[in-house]
Structures are given as C-alpha cells and as structure tokens.
Amino acid sequence: MFNFKNLTSATKPEAPTTLKELFNQLDRRTTHSTLRPVQLSAFQSLDAVQKERDVVLKLSTGSGKTVIGLVFAEMMRRRYPGEPSVLLCPTTQLVDQVVESAKEIGVKVATFKDGTPHEALAGEVVLLCTYDRLFNAKSVFANRGIRPSSFVLDDVHAGVDRIRGCYTLRVPDAAHAAITAILQPLCEPTDPAAWSAIARNSMDTPYEVPYWIWANVYKQVFSILDGMQSEEEKELLFRWGNISRYLDLARVCVTATQVEIALPLPAVEENSAFSMAKHRLFMSASIKDGSTLVGDLGCDIGALLRIIDPLEDEGAGERMILPTSLISDSAKKSDIAALCATVAKVTNVVVLTSAASQGSEWEKAGATFFDGKEVDGAIAKLRSSSPNFVVFAQRFDGVDLPDDACRVLVIDGVPTGDRLCDKVDAVRQKDSPEHDVRTVNRFEQALGRAVRSHADYAAVLLVGQDIASFIGKKSVLDLFEGRTRVQVEMGRLIARMAPGQPLPAVLAEALRVLLNRDEDWKEAHRSSVKSATRFVRSAGQLTVFENVMAAQRNAWLAAKGRNFQHAVAL
C-alpha cells in the first residue's frame, strides 16, 4: 500500500537559470511552442534584473504579457520552494482566462474557485486570484499568515482601482441617517447650497466633509459603524478593518443616499503578504507615468528608472477613433445611439459608461444593460455570437473583447472612477496633472477593451463634449502612448473631413470603411502609426508627478505614525 521510497526519492524541480530555459522545459501546446520576439526580449530583460525586488514591465495589449507573467511566477515558485507565488488579476473573469493560458503553456495553477487552494498556498503550484482577494480586510493571506515569495500584478492600473476600493467604505444604508445627522449641523454652514441640493436629492457632485470638522466627529461615526459589523453587512465586514485604525485621516463624501469613507492612499504597507514579498512584477500596457505605482502601491521608485519596455513591442492594433463632438458640436446622444442600434444589426457594439444612469439613453435605442454578476454572461455571449448591442458601467478594464466580440466600441464621456471621492476629484482637479494621469490611464484601459492584439481592429466612438475637450489638451496628448496619440490625432483629422455633414451620415460612412476593410484606410493607418514616437525616459529622471506621489506616500506614512509635522514638511 505504501511505498516510502517515493518519499525519499521525490525532488522538487530546480529553477532553471533563465526564463527562456524554463519556458522550453514546460509541457506546452503546439500553439505556444515558440516565443514571440517581444516575449523573448522581455524574458532577457527580466533575467538581467532578477535580483531586484520591484520590476515594472510595459507591454501592449495582445503582446503576450500573461505568458510572461505566468512563466515569471513559475520561476519564483521554483526558486523559493515551499513559498507561494501569486499572480493577481483585476476580475474573476480574467482569472479564468489566465487559467486557460496556463494550460496552454504547461504551468500548473490553482484558484479559490473551488475552495481553499492548499497546494498553491504550500507553493506546489502557482496561485491565481483577484486583487480583492489579497487586499480585503479579511484576507486569507493575513488570517493564515501566508507569506508569498512573489507577486505578479497583471493589468496593474486596473488593479489599482480595485485596491483603492478595498480601502474605501460605503457605509450601510442603516447608518446613513445617523451619520448625516451628525455631519449636517457642522457642515451645512460651509456650503448651504450643497446641503440644500442633498436635501432635494438633486446634487450631482458629492460634498466632501472638511477635515477640521471630521476631526471632531470621527469618534462618533466610529462608534456607529464598529457596532454594525455582521455577515449581513458584507462591505463593512471586508473593508472596515482596513480603514478603522486611521478613520481620523480619511476623506468623507456625502450625497443624499450615500456616505463614503476612503483613506487618502491605500495602506498597502500594512498588508504583510504584499509588502514583505521578495519580488513584485508590475505589468501594464501603459506606464508612461508611474506615479500610481509609487503612490498607491508603494512600488520602489527606483523601479521606474529601469522600466522594461521591449523595442520589439508593436503596440496596439488598428483603432479608428471618432470624437463625435468634433464632427458635429451639436451632436445628440440619441442620434448616435440610433446609429449604433442600426450598426448592431450586423456586428457587436459595446458601450462603456462611467455610471449606470448614463445607460438609459442607450437602452432606449435597444441596447441591453448588464451589471454585476450579469457581466460575465454578457461577455461570453459577445465572444461567441454576433450581432449584439450592450452597455456596461464602470468596465473600463477587466473586459476582453477580441476580434468579432467587439467591432464598435463607444466610450460615453470622460472615464471616471466609481467612488464618490473620484467624482469630487474629477471636478476639483480637472486641470491638474494628477487628474490627467489617472484619467488617461482609464482611457487607455477603455481603448484596450476592443482591440486585443496587434492584428485586431475596431472603431471607437467618443461621445460627449467633455471627452472631445479632454483628448484635445496638449498635456493629455503628451501622456498618451505614442500609438494612441497618433490614432487620436487621426480621429481629429477625420472629424474635419466632412464639414457641415450630418453626424449620423459621417459616422455611418466611417464605420462602413472600417468594417469593410477599405484598403485606403488600412494603408493610411499603417503609414500614420509608423510615425509614432516611442516615449524614452530621460536617464535617471522621474516625472514631476512621480516625485509628487513619492512625497505623498512618505507623507501618508508619517501621518499614520502621528508625525504630522514631518508629513506637512514632505
């Protein structure tokens, strides 16, 4: 029954010297028998910095980041036997996609889908999970003292929004009245118009509680919320522990129906599993400005001076970007929605909005709105059938719609975050570098939903005066990746080609050209993107905002330690 010789003869697989060598040892499927030039270049660059703790890798969508991340995670698993190696994804749907990729290249993985993945936690296979799973206040990593050797952060800019959410609390409805009753007498004199709008439930922008008022009442709010923790209040249960210790330092925003409490920066340094890892690989398709990595994730600022950006990366695929308000400044969303409904009779049309309320105009035209758990089913339908006309809110990332899954993508307005404090910042900071950087990251993520490889193509309709103005700002154009910047500029040129023509007619003709694969358009696109200049970071230099965010991170650490004088000096 027992063969104890197996126990003494069993050996752990040794870590090869290079990532390429490891890749060649894996039991790959024939579809993944060789590496692309860009992947080989990335492997060589990663080998060269293997002793560094934090490494940043930039690769365009569809260039094979997932394979690189999986092989890197497997290398770390073998290099540190018995210690977990973790690859993080923004959504469970993307976790499932990475599982399939792992099968294709022969990397053994496990997830939390069927319960606790004990073999992954023991370092026997690579662990795949979401950012939420790691950073929530009841994380299995913290509860069980699990200390992974390494983390691979896939789609890291999308992941940052998830992490911020783990340090943000929308208070339970049952506590809303009690908390607003505490705040209103003190806050109303500071902005009577805002509180009058809140009373009428007609305020578009939330009211942010001044810090000097919050400092005097946060203990009362603490008492209310601390006594409400239960299995029924899921958000409170999984976020309160991340926020409660630093409640006095939090930002608080109020509307007629919500009270939101958010830390100014995620306290990721207190997540021991993440902060004590030996290696962390940050991967994204757009890292022209790495301030978010430094400010929100505590990435070593030195990693931004050695970003891996392979020259072999061919960039994003073919995108015909059409800013509708530049074609006609009197453009009506209802007219655009009607046109999209017609186009959706022959191909898949996907609309992305910042809020569920924006979806109503599209629904009137025949689109189907999907939210929450419905999204995964909608994505599966888009990937397997056509035509469809769908709307998603707050899905600027984590939705992969390659090829026929989406040939027409609509971005309705400037992409914003879904937190109340994001909406406050969108108004207060709309002309600031911080707002531009974060919005450009969301915009680049949104563009990547439909064009998933260098060979893919799609039309992108930008709807609204706000987004047309946004992409026209020089400071914003300078933040775009080179290929994106050229495509945006091409869109602005297309908008000038039909002066005085009805918007629906212009859009219909442009979409016909793209969908019918007009050779003149394809050649124009190819020749234009060839002129795209790659961003080359000056040797040893950080951007102004990267330095600002590094100072903000240090100020946050000082404030946590109640060294406010030092925090202000920073």
Side-chain angles (χ1 to χ4, degrees), residues 393-419:
Q394 279 298 325
R395 291 287 170 167
F396 302 117
D397 54 66
V399 174
D400 291 353
L401 301 170
D403 304 318
D404 290 338
C406 180
R407 290 301 184 197
V408 178
L409 177 70
V410 181
I411 303 177
D412 186 359
V414 174
T416 62
D418 63 345
R419 302 183 303 168

Side-chain angles (χ1 to χ4, degrees), residues 203-281:
M203 188 171 182
D204 295 327
T205 303
Y207 169 88
E208 182 167 7
V209 177
Y211 72 89
W212 60 87
I213 292 177
W214 180 244
N216 290 315
V217 301
Y218 78 90
K219 290 182 180 179
Q220 298 175 59
V221 175
F222 180 94
S223 298
I224 293 171
L225 295 177
D226 199 51
M228 295 184 68
Q229 294 186 76
S230 68
E231 288 296 326
E232 287 73 31
E233 297 293 349
K234 293 293 185 183
E235 182 160 337
L236 188 65
L237 183 67
F238 286 101
R239 298 185 181 182
W240 181 241
N242 283 344
I243 296 171
S244 57
R245 289 180 61 192
Y246 307 109
L247 196 64
D248 58 321
L249 302 176
R251 299 179 63 183
V252 182
C253 296
V254 183
T255 69
T257 58
Q258 292 181 20
V259 175
E260 177 188 273
I261 303 173
L263 295 189
L265 289 176
V268 296
E269 67 281 351
E270 298 198 350
N271 187 302
S272 300
F274 180 70
S275 63
M276 296 177 66
K278 299 179 179 71
H279 297 279
R280 303 185 298 188
L281 175 60

Side-chain angles (χ1 to χ4, degrees), residues 111-182:
T111 72
F112 285 92
K113 193 171 185 177
D114 298 316
T116 303
H118 294 289
E119 55 184 347
L121 298 180
E124 296 171 6
V125 300
V126 171
L127 175 62
L128 306 181
C129 70
T130 62
Y131 287 89
D132 290 341
R133 179 73 69 170
L134 171 65
F135 287 101
N136 78 78
K138 297 290 185 180
S139 171
V140 64
F141 293 89
N143 291 340
R144 300 188 183 184
I146 298 165
R147 298 290 181 267
S149 65
S150 62
F151 284 96
V152 175
L153 291 83
D154 199 6
D155 281 341
V156 66
H157 281 105
V160 165
D161 281 336
R162 267 61 180 186
I163 295 171
R164 290 180 188 137
C166 290
Y167 294 86
T168 301
L169 172 68
R170 292 186 179 181
V171 306
D173 292 342
H176 182 273
I179 292 175
T180 52
I182 293 171

